[in-house]
Amino acid sequence: MTTTTPTADPASAPAGPDRPAGGAPTGLTTLAAAVPEAFRKLSPRAMAKAPVMFVVLVGSVATTLLALTDPGDPFGWAVAGWLWLTVLFGNLAEAVAEGRGRAQAASLRRTRTDTVARRLAAGGRVEERVPGTGLTVGDLVVCETGDVIPGDGDVVEGVASVDESAITGESAPVIRESGGDRSAVTGGTRVLSDRIVVRITARPGETFIDRMIGLVEGAARRKTPNEVALTILLAALTVVFLLAVVTLRPFAVFAGAGEQTSLLVLTALLVCLIPTTIGALLSAIGIAGMDRLVRRNVLAMSGRAVEAAGDVSTLLLDKTGTITHGNRMAAAFLPVRGVTVEELAAAAQLSSLADETPEGRSVLRLAEDGHGLPARDRDAIPGADWVPFSAGTRLSGVDLDEAGTVRRIRKGAAASVARWVRDHGGPEAVAADRTADRIAAAGGTPLQVAVRDAEGARVLGVIHLKDTVKDGMRERFAELRRMGIRTVMITGDNQLTARAIAEEAGVDDFLAEATPEDKLALIRREQAEGRLVAMAGDGTNDAPALAQADVGVAMNTGTAAAKEAGNMVDLDSDPTKLIEIVEIGKQLLITRGALTTFSLANDVAKYFAIIPALFTAAYPQLDRLNIMGLASPHTAILAAVIFNALVIVALVPLALRGVRYRPLGADALLRRNLAVYGLGGLVVPFLGIKAIDWLLALLV
C-alpha cells in the first residue's frame, strides 16, 4: 500500500527524558554546525532584533575603522577583534540552541513518508488509490495491516493496533478505535493489525508532524511577552549607558584626559557597560526551554505557553489515570464474623487463579504481598476444576476434590455470589451485604467470596476494590504546594468517593461529578481571581476547558479537537507530565532571572577596571579605585573587553541546560538568586579581569 514505511528506531523518534531527539548531534558536532550560522547572523537586519548586540556590532565596525586609521597600533586591533568575537559568541549561543531544534526537526522529517492512500469514493462503495499529498479534509481512507496512515485524522470505523514509535519513541503499540477519546491518528504512523477507516482532518503540509517541525525550529520562534519586556528594558539601559559614555568625552577634554578617552576607548567602555551577557543569551534561554519540553516528548505550540507554565498557580488534574491508576485494585479483605482474614485471603487467592482480569490479578497480589501467602500455580493443584471469570456469570472460582469431598469456592460481584449461595441452599449473608453496600456508597467496588463444602454454602467475606492512588502522588502534591501551586482534582465520581481519593492523594481541592461546563466554569473562576490555570485532557468534551486554560496539555492519544484546543501536546499521553511541564516553565523563568542578575552585577568590576584607566592621568586620586592593581590603562581596558566576551561562552551551557529548579517559595528563590548569581556576578569578574590583565602584562 505504501512506497516506503517508517522504521521504529531510536534515531527516528523525538527525545525522551534520557535521550537526545532523533539522534541529535551533540558536543563538538553541534558546535561545528553552529559556527557558520553564527557568521550568517551578522546581517544587520538579523542583529537589529537584539538591540544590545546590535550596538556591539556597530561598536565592532567603528573600532575596526579606527584601527585601520592606525594600522601599527596593536591595542586598536585587539579591541576591535574582541568586540567582533563578542558579537560572534552571542550569535553562537543562539545558533547552538537553534541547531538542537533543527536536529529534532530533521528527525521528525524522517518520519514523513510518501504514501499511496486508499481513498473511499462514491459514498464508500469504491476504493481508489491516490497520493497521500492529494488528500483533502473530510476524505475517508482505508488502512489495513502494514499500511502507513497517510495523514492526520480520526478513526470513524474499526479498531486497530498502531505503531506510533516514529512520533513518541515508545515501541509499544497503541489501540486506536472509533467512537471514543482514542480515535485520533497521526500521519506517518503504521497500522500493525486489523482494519480502520480514517477521516482526514488536516491538509498536506498542515499535519501534526508538519506543525511540530515548524515549532521546534528555533529560527521561527516568536518572542514571548516576558522576553519582549526584558528586551525593551535592556534597550533602555543601553540608551542610558550610551548617553553617559557620550558625555564623558567633553568632561575628559576639560579635565585634560582627552588622550585617554579616545573614541576607541569609549566604544570599549560602552560595550563593557551595557548588559551584553544577558543580551547575547536571552534568545538561547527561550529556545532551550522549548527544547527541554521536546526532549520530554511534549510539544509546546508557543513559547508563551512555556512561560505561562512557569507562572501557573492552579493545576487541574483528572483523577482517573492521572492521580489514580485507573484500574480497580484490591485494597482490603473484610471477613464476616467467625471467619479469619487469613481464611478469606486464601479462598480469594484460589478463586482468582482463573480470573485473568486486572481485578483478579490485583486480588492475587494483595493475598501474596499483603498477607504473605505463597504464590500458587494452577497446574500444581491436583484435582482442581477451574471456573474462569465470565462476564455472563460475573464469577470465577475453583472446585477442589479433597479426599472425595468437593469444595467449591466462588468470587465475584456481590449479587452474583449471593445468588450462587442461595442456589446451593446457603443462608443470606446480611453482614456481608451491609459491608458491600458501604463500599459501594463510598465509590468502591465490592466483591464477595463464598464457599460450599461439607458445612454447606456460605459467604466468607468481601474484597474491597478501589481505584488506587499512584505511589508518590502525595509527595508530588506537597512539592507543588511548596511551589505555591494549588492542585484541584476533577472527577465524575460522587462526592464521597471524590473526597476519599482527594484526602488520600493530598490534593488541595476537588470537583466531583464534573461536567464540561463545570470544568470551564472552574477555570474561569480561578482566572477571574488572578490565577493562571493549567489542565490536561484528551477528549472532545475537554476541548472547551483546554482552550480556556492558560496551559492546556492535550494527550496525543486524544481527539483532534482536544489537540487543536490545547497549547501543548504530550506525545507520551501521560497526564502526570503536567507537573514536569510546570517545573520546566519555572526553570525557564528562573534561568532568565538568574542570568539577568549576573549580567547586571558583573558590570561593577568593569567600572573599577576602566574608569581609573581613563582618568588616573588627570586625577591621580582615582588610582585608589584600581583595587585590582591592574598593570596599565591599556591592559585594564583590554582585560575588561576580553572578559566581557569570554563570560558569554562560559554561560552558554548554563543557558541551554537551565538553572536547577528547587521547589521553594518566591522569597527563598529571590534570596538564592541574589546570593548565587548576584554575589557571583560581583566576585567572578574581579577575579577574571585580574587574571586576564596578569596574562596580558606578561605578554606585553
Side-chain angles (χ1 to χ4, degrees), residues 32 75 86 92 162 220 225 296 311 360 363 408 418 451 455 502 504 537 562 589 649:
F75 175 71
T86 303
L92 189 65
V162 178
R296 286 167 174 78
D311 287 328
V363 172
R408 295 180 170 85
V451 63
E455 299 178 13
E504 183 178 354
L589 297 179
V649 178

Side-chain angles (χ1 to χ4, degrees), residues 167 186 208 211-212 215 293-294 296-301 537 552-558 562-573 577 581:
I167 303 297
T186 304
F208 184 64
R211 285 186 293 148
M212 288 173 67
L215 289 166
L293 276 179
V294 173
R296 286 167 174 78
N297 272 358
V298 177
L299 175 64
M301 301 302 182
V553 183
M555 302 297 104
N556 191 43
T557 56
K563 287 191 279 190
E564 288 292 336
N567 50 24
M568 291 188 185
V569 177
D570 177 16
L571 302 180
D572 293 331
S573 300
K577 200 177 289 183
I581 292 171

Side-chain angles (χ1 to χ4, degrees), residues 387-700:
V387 181
F389 175 80
S390 166
T393 63
R394 301 177 69 190
L395 292 173
S396 67
V398 61
D399 295 341
L400 300 172
D401 186 355
E402 298 176 342
T405 301
V406 177
R407 181 169 177 253
R408 295 180 170 85
I409 305 173
R410 296 292 185 272
K411 178 213 71 187
S416 299
V417 171
R419 185 168 53 252
W420 182 81
V421 170
R422 286 197 305 271
D423 292 345
H424 290 84
E428 185 177 353
V430 177
D433 290 342
R434 287 175 179 171
T435 300
D437 291 342
R438 189 171 64 252
I439 292 172
T445 301
L447 299 180
Q448 289 189 3
V449 180
V451 63
R452 182 190 177 203
D453 52 18
E455 299 178 13
R458 62 193 184 281
V459 175
L460 299 179
V462 180
I463 303 172
H464 182 185
L465 295 182
K466 67 176 183 177
D467 197 356
T468 308
V469 174
K470 293 180 178 178
D471 293 338
M473 292 306 295
R474 174 174 285 274
E475 291 73 18
R476 299 199 75 173
F477 289 137
E479 185 175 311
L480 288 170
R481 201 170 294 115
R482 289 194 298 271
M483 294 160 55
I485 296 175
R486 176 171 169 265
T487 52
V488 181
M489 181 186 76
I490 300 177
T491 178
D493 291 337
N494 59 52
Q495 289 282 343
L496 287 175
T497 303
R499 187 179 301 278
I501 295 292
E503 291 177 354
E504 183 178 354
V507 296
D508 298 309
D509 201 356
F510 65 90
L511 178 65
E513 301 175 355
T515 64
E517 293 78 12
D518 294 334
K519 297 177 187 178
L520 194 58
L522 174 61
I523 293 173
R524 287 173 175 168
R525 187 165 62 250
E526 292 286 326
Q527 290 172 333
E529 295 174 1
R531 302 187 182 97
L532 266 66
V533 181
M535 79 160 288
D538 59 359
T540 301
N541 63 340
D542 291 324
L546 287 171
Q548 181 68 36
D550 300 284
V551 179
V553 183
M555 302 297 104
N556 191 43
T557 56
T559 62
K563 287 191 279 190
E564 288 292 336
N567 50 24
M568 291 188 185
V569 177
D570 177 16
L571 302 180
D572 293 331
S573 300
D574 178 8
T576 60
K577 200 177 289 183
L578 188 57
I579 299 173
E580 292 183 46
I581 292 171
V582 171
E583 292 177 350
I584 291 172
K586 287 190 175 294
Q587 185 184 35
L588 170 65
L589 297 179
I590 290 171
T591 302
R592 185 182 295 154
L595 294 184
T596 300
T597 302
F598 184 92
S599 178
L600 297 178
N602 72 16
D603 287 341
V604 174
K606 300 168 191 174
Y607 302 150
F608 287 93
I610 298 180
I611 298 299
L614 295 178
F615 293 101
T616 298
Y619 300 102
Q621 300 90 332
L622 289 178
D623 191 54
R624 296 177 182 176
L625 296 178
N626 186 15
I627 59 177
M628 290 181 279
L630 302 180
S632 69
H634 278 184
T635 60
I637 294 169
L638 192 54
V641 171
I642 294 174
F643 176 83
N644 194 60
L646 294 181
V647 74
I648 295 174
V649 178
L651 291 176
V652 167
L654 181 61
L656 298 180
R657 185 180 66 251
V659 175
R660 182 182 177 186
Y661 171 70
R662 295 177 182 174
L664 304 172
D667 292 344
L669 285 174
L670 179 60
R671 288 194 298 270
R672 178 171 173 263
N673 183 37
L674 293 176
V676 176
Y677 296 97
L679 185 60
L682 288 174
V683 174
V684 171
F686 280 96
L687 300 176
I689 291 174
K690 175 59 180 176
I692 296 171
D693 177 81
W694 178 75
L695 290 174
L696 291 174
L698 289 179
L699 293 174
V700 173

Side-chain angles (χ1 to χ4, degrees), residues 224-514:
T224 63
N226 284 349
E227 201 172 337
V228 171
L230 185 54
T231 300
I232 294 172
L233 174 62
L234 297 179
L237 289 175
T238 301
V239 171
V240 170
F241 282 119
L242 178 61
L243 294 174
V245 170
V246 167
T247 57
L248 278 179
R249 176 65 179 172
F251 284 114
V253 172
F254 176 78
E259 293 183 4
Q260 288 78 27
T261 55
S262 64
L263 184 57
L264 181 73
V265 172
L266 291 178
T267 302
L269 173 63
L270 175 63
V271 171
C272 288
L273 296 187
I274 62 177
T276 51
T277 305
I278 186 60
L281 299 175
L282 185 59
S283 182
I285 293 169
I287 296 171
M290 296 185 71
D291 174 71
R292 282 192 289 275
L293 276 179
V294 173
R295 287 175 177 271
R296 286 167 174 78
N297 272 358
V298 177
L299 175 64
M301 301 302 182
S302 68
R304 184 191 297 263
V306 184
E307 279 192 354
D311 287 328
V312 160
S313 52
T314 301
L315 201 57
L316 306 185
L317 296 164
D318 187 51
K319 175 184 76 73
T320 305
T322 303
I323 296 175
T324 64
H325 286 282
N327 293 324
R328 297 170 301 171
M329 301 177 67
F333 295 130
L334 305 173
V336 299
R337 186 185 298 273
V339 178
T340 65
V341 174
E342 289 73 18
E343 184 180 352
L344 173 60
Q349 181 190 40
L350 286 171
S351 62
S352 297
L353 289 174
D355 184 358
E356 298 296 334
T357 65
E359 291 85 354
R361 290 192 293 270
S362 75
V363 172
L364 294 177
R365 283 195 299 271
L366 179 61
E368 295 163 9
D369 299 338
H371 294 271
L373 296 182
R376 305 291 296 270
D377 186 354
R378 286 169 53 176
D379 297 333
I381 302 177
D385 185 10
W386 299 100
V387 181
F389 175 80
S390 166
T393 63
R394 301 177 69 190
L395 292 173
S396 67
V398 61
D399 295 341
L400 300 172
D401 186 355
E402 298 176 342
T405 301
V406 177
R407 181 169 177 253
R408 295 180 170 85
I409 305 173
R410 296 292 185 272
K411 178 213 71 187
S416 299
V417 171
R419 185 168 53 252
W420 182 81
V421 170
R422 286 197 305 271
D423 292 345
H424 290 84
E428 185 177 353
V430 177
D433 290 342
R434 287 175 179 171
T435 300
D437 291 342
R438 189 171 64 252
I439 292 172
T445 301
L447 299 180
Q448 289 189 3
V449 180
V451 63
R452 182 190 177 203
D453 52 18
E455 299 178 13
R458 62 193 184 281
V459 175
L460 299 179
V462 180
I463 303 172
H464 182 185
L465 295 182
K466 67 176 183 177
D467 197 356
T468 308
V469 174
K470 293 180 178 178
D471 293 338
M473 292 306 295
R474 174 174 285 274
E475 291 73 18
R476 299 199 75 173
F477 289 137
E479 185 175 311
L480 288 170
R481 201 170 294 115
R482 289 194 298 271
M483 294 160 55
I485 296 175
R486 176 171 169 265
T487 52
V488 181
M489 181 186 76
I490 300 177
T491 178
D493 291 337
N494 59 52
Q495 289 282 343
L496 287 175
T497 303
R499 187 179 301 278
I501 295 292
E503 291 177 354
E504 183 178 354
V507 296
D508 298 309
D509 201 356
F510 65 90
L511 178 65
E513 301 175 355

